[in-house]
Amino acid sequence: MASGEGFLTDEQREMLKIASQNVETALPSPRLSSSPKSPTSLLSDHQLKVPAGGKAPTGGIAVRHVRRSHSGKSIRVKKDGAGGKGTWGKLLDTDGESHIDRNDPNYDSGEEPYQLVGSTISDPLDEYKKAVVSIIEEYFSTSDVEVAASDLKDLGSSEYHPYFIKRLVSMAMDRHDKEKEMASVLLSSLYADVISPPQIRDGFVMLLESADDLAVDILDAVDILTLFVSRAVVDEILPPAFITRAKKTLPESSKGYQVLQTAEKSYLSAPHHAELLERRWGGSTHVTVEEMKKKIADLLREYVESGDTFEACRCIRELGVSFFHHEVVKRALVLAMEIQTAEPLMLKLLKEAAEEGLISSSQMVKGFARLAESLDDLALDIPSAKTLFQLIVPKAILQGWLDASFMKSSCTDGEAQNEDKKLNQYKKEIVTIIHEYFLSDDIPELIRSLEDLGLPEYNPVFLKKLITLAMDRKNREKEMASVLLSALHIEIFSTEDIVNGFVMLLESAEDTALDILDASNELALFLARAVIDDVLVPLNLEEITSKLPPNCSGSETVRMARSLITARHAGERLLRCWGGGTGWAVEDAKDKIMKLLEEYESGGVVAEACQCIRDLGMPFFNHEVVKKALVMAMEKKNDRMLDLLQVCFNEGLITINQMTKGFTRVKDGLDDLALDFPNAKDKFSFYTEYAQKKGWLLPSFGSSATEALPTAAAS
C-alpha cells in the first residue's frame, strides 16, 4: 500500500480505509465487487464524490479519481473517468478500441475512419509502352495487320509512335525469322497512314542509339538491326539519305554507327539487294513486294478481259494488303493509259472500291501521287501519259472517289509541266540522246545531237538529267557522265550552264535521295570531279552555295565536295573514283599523251603521232595534248611541237575550242612554269602569235593573253 498511497496524508488514508470497508460490506459477492463494470462499483463512485463533511480533502486530490485494480492496488485514473487500466472510459469515447460492424443493419460507411491511400502518379508514356507490348504480342500471334493498325489508332498518343517502332523491332529481334518478317511488313503497312515518316525515322534513330544495350542481350543484334534498316530503305519507309544523316549523330565507336556502315557498304550496295533483302527472312508471313505487284497486275489484266467489277473487288480484298492498295491504284491508272479502251473499266473499278471502303481515301491519294511523280519516265513509253493523267484527275474528283486536295498539287505540277511545251519536248529528246550515249560512248555524236536541237538555254536541264540518269546506273555510266561534262564544257556549255545545272540538281537532292541510294555522296563526287577536271573552279562552289535556298540539304553536299577536293591525293582519287569506266582513265590518258609526245620529239613521224592521238579516242581531252605540247616545246626548246599542232588542226583532229582550252591552261600556269623556265612568258607570247597567224587559235584569246602577260611580268 505504501507504493500505491505514498502521496496521501494520514487523514486521507483513514478516509480511504473506511470507504473500502463500506464497499466490501455492501457487496454480496467478491466477484462482483472486484468487477470494474459492476453497477455497485458505479454507485460507489458516486458515494465517493461527496465525502464526510461535504468538503473535498485538503490535499486537493479528489477521492473520486482513485480506483482499485484487480490486484487490490489503488491507481489514479484520468479526469472524467476516461481511460486507465480496467475502466470503461468516458461516455463519448472514440478511441480506436471501438469496433464498427459492417454487417450491422445500421452500418453507415461514413462512420469509417478516414484513411490516406498512397498511389503513384501514372506516366502516359509508361502506359503507352505497356499497351503496345500487348498489341505487338497479339499481332505476332494472329498476323492480322489491320487489327494491329486499328488497335494502334485507338490507343491514341500518336506522339509516342517512335517508341512503338523501337519496341516492335526490338521484340522481333529476339524472335524467329517469322516475327522479323512480320515486323517489317507491319512497318510498311503503318507507314504514312498511321505513323508519319518523321516518326518512323525517329523510331529507327532510337533503335540505333540503343544498339549497344541491345547487343548485351542479343548476340547478333548488330546484324539483325542492319537488316531491319536496310529492309526499311528497300521498302521505301526510310529514305536512303537517312543513313548518311544518322551517321553524323552517332559516335563512330558505337554499335549504331556500325549498323549504318554495314547497311551502306554491304547490304544496300550488293547487286539485286532489294530482292535479297525481301527474301532474307523467308517472307514467311506474306509474299514479297515484287510478287504482290505481279498479283495485282494479273488481276487487273483479268479484269480488263472479263469486266467483272465485283470479282475484281473480291480479288483485291483477298490480297489482304490494305496498306498496299496504293499500288492497285497506280497500276490501274497506268493500265488505263496503256489501253485506251480499258480506261472506263479502270475508273469504274476504282470508284466501286472507294465507295465500298475497300480502298481508303489516303491510299487513293497515295496511288495518284506516286503516278504523278513517275509521269516523266512513263511518258517515254506512253507519250500522252501526262495529258491522260490530267484528264483523269478531274473526273475522279468530280465523281467523289479522289480527295479534292490532290487537285491543288496536281494542277501546280501540271501548269509547270505545260508552261513551256518546248521544254517538255526538249526533256524527251535529251533522255533519248543520253541513253544512246551510254550505249555508244560517242561524244562527238552527242554534241552534234545537242547542237541540232538548238536550245542552248536549256543546257542546265541537260546536265541535271545526265547526272540523275547516271546516278541510277553503274560506275561505267557515272564515269561517262563526268567525261562528257569535260567535253561539253569546252565545246558548247558555258561555266554558267554548269553552275546552274548543279544548282538544279542540289535543289532537288532530297527528292532524288528517295529513289537513288547514296545520292548525296554521289552528287558530291560529281561536283568534286568537275573541279578536278577543270570544268569548275573552287570559287564556283561558293557561287553554287549562294544560289541554294536556306536550309537546303544541297549545301551539305557542296561541303562534302569541298572536303573531297582538299583531301590528300584528291586529284588521283577523284579521277579514279568510278574506275575510269569509259576506257582510259584520265591519268592513264595523260601518261599516254606524254609518251607519244616524247617519241615524236625524239624524231618521230607526224602522221604516227596524229594516229596515236586519234587512237586515244578522247577528243574532249585533246586540250591536254595542246598543253603538254606547249610545255614540252618550252622545256626542250624544240618548236617541232608547233608543227604537230598545226597538222592536228588541219586534219580536224584538234578543234579550235580544244586549242583555246589548251592555251588557256598553259596561261593560267605561267607563274609556276616561270620558276622552271625563266623565259616561259616570252615563249608563250611567241606561241600565241604564231597560232593566231596560222588560224588555229581565236584572235580574241591573243588579245586577252597579251594584256595579261605584261601585268604578270611586271609583278
Side-chain angles (χ1 to χ4, degrees):
M1 291 292 291
S3 63
E5 299 171 358
F7 296 97
L8 300 178
T9 65
D10 293 337
E11 183 182 356
Q12 289 171 343
R13 287 195 188 97
E14 185 65 26
M15 291 176 65
L16 180 60
K17 182 179 179 182
I18 294 169
S20 299
Q21 289 173 354
N22 290 337
V23 171
E24 289 173 2
T25 304
L27 293 177
S29 168
R31 180 179 65 82
L32 291 174
S33 66
S34 62
S35 174
K37 298 182 181 180
S38 172
T40 53
S41 296
L42 294 174
L43 179 61
S44 66
D45 283 344
H46 291 286
Q47 290 172 342
L48 288 172
K49 287 180 184 177
V50 185
K55 293 183 181 179
T58 57
I61 300 176
V63 180
R64 67 185 177 92
H65 292 298
V66 180
R67 294 286 184 271
R68 185 175 296 278
S69 68
H70 290 279
S71 62
K73 293 181 180 180
S74 297
I75 59 171
R76 298 176 64 199
V77 298
K78 295 180 182 178
K79 186 178 180 182
D80 295 331
K85 185 175 181 182
T87 64
W88 277 10
K90 63 182 179 179
L91 184 62
L92 299 176
D93 198 349
T94 57
D95 285 348
E97 295 178 3
S98 61
H99 176 68
I100 297 176
D101 185 2
R102 292 184 176 84
N103 296 321
D104 191 324
N106 295 321
Y107 167 71
D108 183 3
S109 61
E111 296 177 358
E112 292 280 2
Y114 180 78
Q115 267 188 321
L116 289 176
V117 180
S119 63
T120 57
I121 300 174
S122 61
D123 184 355
L125 178 57
D126 290 339
E127 296 296 326
Y128 179 87
K129 289 180 178 179
K130 293 174 184 176
V132 297
V133 168
S134 63
I135 293 174
I136 295 167
E137 291 284 3
E138 183 179 351
Y139 170 65
F140 284 158
S141 300
T142 63
S143 302
D144 196 327
V145 173
E146 292 186 4
V147 170
S150 176
D151 289 347
L152 193 60
K153 282 183 180 178
D154 294 342
L155 185 60
S157 302
S158 59
E159 67 273 17
Y160 297 138
H161 283 344
Y163 291 94
F164 175 83
I165 305 294
K166 180 184 177 183
R167 182 54 62 94
L168 173 66
V169 174
S170 59
M171 287 176 66
M173 288 173 65
D174 203 20
R175 301 198 179 204
H176 298 295
D177 285 353
K178 175 177 177 286
E179 285 79 9
K180 296 182 180 76
E181 176 68 17
M182 289 174 69
S184 288
V185 170
L186 181 59
L187 287 178
S188 295
S189 68
L190 298 176
Y191 175 75
D193 291 336
V194 181
I195 304 179
S196 67
Q199 290 175 328
I200 295 277
R201 178 199 63 208
D202 293 344
F204 272 95
V205 168
M206 292 168 64
L207 275 166
L208 293 167
E209 290 173 345
S210 62
D212 293 277
D213 296 332
L214 290 171
V216 175
D217 301 320
I218 305 170
L219 293 178
D220 52 350
V222 172
D223 291 335
I224 298 174
L225 190 52
T226 300
L227 285 168
F228 270 109
V229 172
S230 304
R231 176 67 178 269
V233 173
V234 167
D235 289 346
E236 298 181 357
I237 64 174
L238 282 180
F242 168 81
I243 293 179
T244 304
R245 294 170 186 169
K247 282 168 70 174
K248 296 174 184 177
T249 65
L250 297 169
E252 292 187 9
S253 58
S254 67
K255 298 286 186 186
Y257 189 90
Q258 185 181 342
V259 166
L260 296 172
Q261 194 82 352
T262 307
E264 182 180 27
K265 302 298 182 184
S266 299
Y267 290 108
L268 294 175
S269 60
H272 310 294
H273 63 272
E275 182 180 352
L276 293 173
L277 286 166
E278 285 171 353
R279 296 182 180 274
R280 182 63 175 78
W281 290 314
S284 55
T285 60
H286 294 74
V287 294
T288 64
V289 173
E290 289 303 317
E291 289 172 345
M292 186 56 65
K293 287 181 179 179
K294 186 177 183 302
K295 286 188 175 186
I296 292 170
D298 291 343
L299 78 85
L300 289 175
R301 291 196 177 277
E302 288 178 10
Y303 170 63
V304 170
E305 295 175 3
S306 67
D308 190 339
T309 307
F310 178 81
E311 177 65 17
C313 287
R314 186 187 66 79
C315 292
I316 294 171
R317 191 176 290 105
E318 286 185 352
L319 291 176
V321 286
S322 58
F323 57 88
F324 202 55
H325 282 166
H326 57 81
E327 181 69 19
V328 177
V329 177
K330 179 186 175 184
R331 287 188 175 270
L333 294 173
V334 171
L335 205 55
M337 295 176 185
E338 287 178 348
I339 307 172
Q340 292 289 320
T341 56
E343 181 182 326
L345 280 173
M346 289 301 162
L347 298 185
K348 180 183 177 183
L349 173 62
L350 293 177
K351 181 182 178 183
E352 290 286 335
E355 290 176 350
E356 289 182 16
L358 179 59
I359 298 180
S360 67
S361 175
S362 61
Q363 289 288 311
M364 192 70 74
V365 170
K366 192 173 182 180
F368 270 82
R370 287 184 60 205
L371 182 61
E373 291 170 0
S374 60
L375 278 176
D376 286 336
D377 295 331
L378 190 62
L380 299 177
D381 301 319
I382 309 172
S384 59
K386 295 177 182 178
T387 303
L388 292 172
F389 182 73
Q390 290 166 3
L391 292 173
I392 290 173
V393 170
K395 289 181 185 177
I397 294 175
L398 187 62
Q399 293 174 9
W401 50 273
L402 178 63
D403 196 301
S405 62
F406 179 80
M407 175 62 93
K408 296 177 182 178
S409 58
S410 176
C411 287
T412 302
D413 294 339
E415 289 170 6
Q417 291 164 359
N418 292 325
E419 193 175 46
D420 192 344
K421 292 182 179 180
K422 191 166 60 174
L423 176 59
N424 289 335
Q425 184 63 29
Y426 178 82
K427 288 180 178 179
K428 180 182 175 182
E429 294 286 345
I430 62 173
V431 168
T432 304
I433 291 171
I434 293 168
H435 283 158
E436 288 178 357
Y437 167 65
F438 285 155
L439 292 173
S440 66
D441 197 12
D442 191 339
I443 291 178
E445 178 61 28
L446 181 142
I447 291 175
R448 281 194 294 272
S449 298
L450 284 180
E451 288 175 340
D452 291 343
L453 288 177
L455 296 170
E457 63 272 24
Y458 294 144
N459 286 346
V461 177
F462 178 87
L463 185 147
K464 179 186 176 184
K465 183 63 72 174
L466 169 68
I467 294 180
T468 301
L469 291 175
M471 285 196 298
D472 203 23
R473 296 191 173 220
K474 297 181 180 178
N475 284 346
R476 174 181 177 274
E477 284 78 8
K478 292 168 188 160
E479 176 69 18
M480 290 175 70
S482 286
V483 170
L484 178 59
L485 281 184
S486 294
L488 293 174
H489 181 235
I490 194 64
E491 296 291 343
I492 56 176
F493 278 27
S494 66
T495 301
E496 185 180 1
D497 291 336
I498 304 290
V499 168
N500 291 335
F502 273 109
V503 169
M504 292 171 67
L505 268 169
L506 294 167
E507 285 176 341
S508 61
E510 291 185 0
D511 295 333
T512 305
L514 296 175
D515 302 318
I516 300 173
L517 296 173
D518 208 19
S520 180
N521 287 337
E522 291 190 356
L523 273 175
L525 284 170
F526 272 110
L527 261 176
R529 176 66 180 269
V531 174
I532 296 299
D533 288 344
D534 294 328
V535 175
L536 296 174
V537 296
L539 192 60
N540 291 138
L541 298 183
E542 299 292 339
E543 181 183 355
I544 290 171
T545 303
S546 66
K547 290 186 176 184
L548 293 174
N551 302 321
C552 175
S553 62
S555 300
E556 179 62 27
T557 303
V558 176
R559 282 193 288 272
M560 289 169 60
R562 210 177 280 121
S563 63
L564 288 171
I565 295 166
T566 56
R568 189 178 181 186
H569 305 302
E572 182 180 350
R573 290 179 179 178
L574 289 168
L575 287 170
R576 297 181 182 275
C577 64
W578 289 306
T582 60
W584 304 113
V586 175
E587 286 298 316
D588 293 337
K590 287 181 178 180
D591 292 340
K592 290 202 168 283
I593 290 170
M594 180 59 73
K595 288 178 181 177
L596 77 85
L597 290 176
E598 287 176 349
E599 288 179 6
Y600 171 73
E601 193 273 334
S602 61
V605 181
V606 173
E608 186 177 345
C610 290
Q611 186 58 44
C612 289
I613 295 171
R614 195 175 287 108
D615 290 343
L616 286 175
M618 300 177 75
F620 55 87
F621 202 55
N622 283 343
H623 55 81
E624 181 70 16
V625 176
V626 177
K627 176 190 172 185
K628 288 193 178 295
L630 294 175
V631 173
M632 191 173 288
M634 295 178 189
E635 181 183 4
K636 306 291 185 180
K637 298 180 180 179
N638 186 347
D639 293 341
R640 284 192 69 209
M641 291 298 171
L642 300 181
D643 297 335
L644 173 62
L645 295 178
Q646 179 69 58
V647 173
C648 288
F649 177 76
N650 291 340
E651 292 185 4
L653 185 58
I654 300 179
T655 65
I656 194 168
N657 286 331
Q658 290 287 316
M659 285 285 186
T660 302
K661 186 171 184 180
F663 270 81
T664 301
R665 291 179 63 197
V666 173
K667 184 182 77 171
D668 292 342
L670 273 178
D671 289 337
D672 294 332
L673 284 172
L675 300 177
D676 299 321
F677 317 120
N679 63 340
K681 293 176 182 177
D682 294 335
K683 280 285 184 183
F684 183 74
S685 297
F686 170 73
Y687 297 153
T688 301
E689 293 173 4
Y690 181 83
Q692 183 181 1
K693 288 178 183 177
K694 295 293 183 180
W696 38 273
L697 188 62
L698 293 172
S700 58
F701 176 86
S703 60
S704 62
T706 52
E707 289 171 4
L709 288 176
T711 304
S715 62

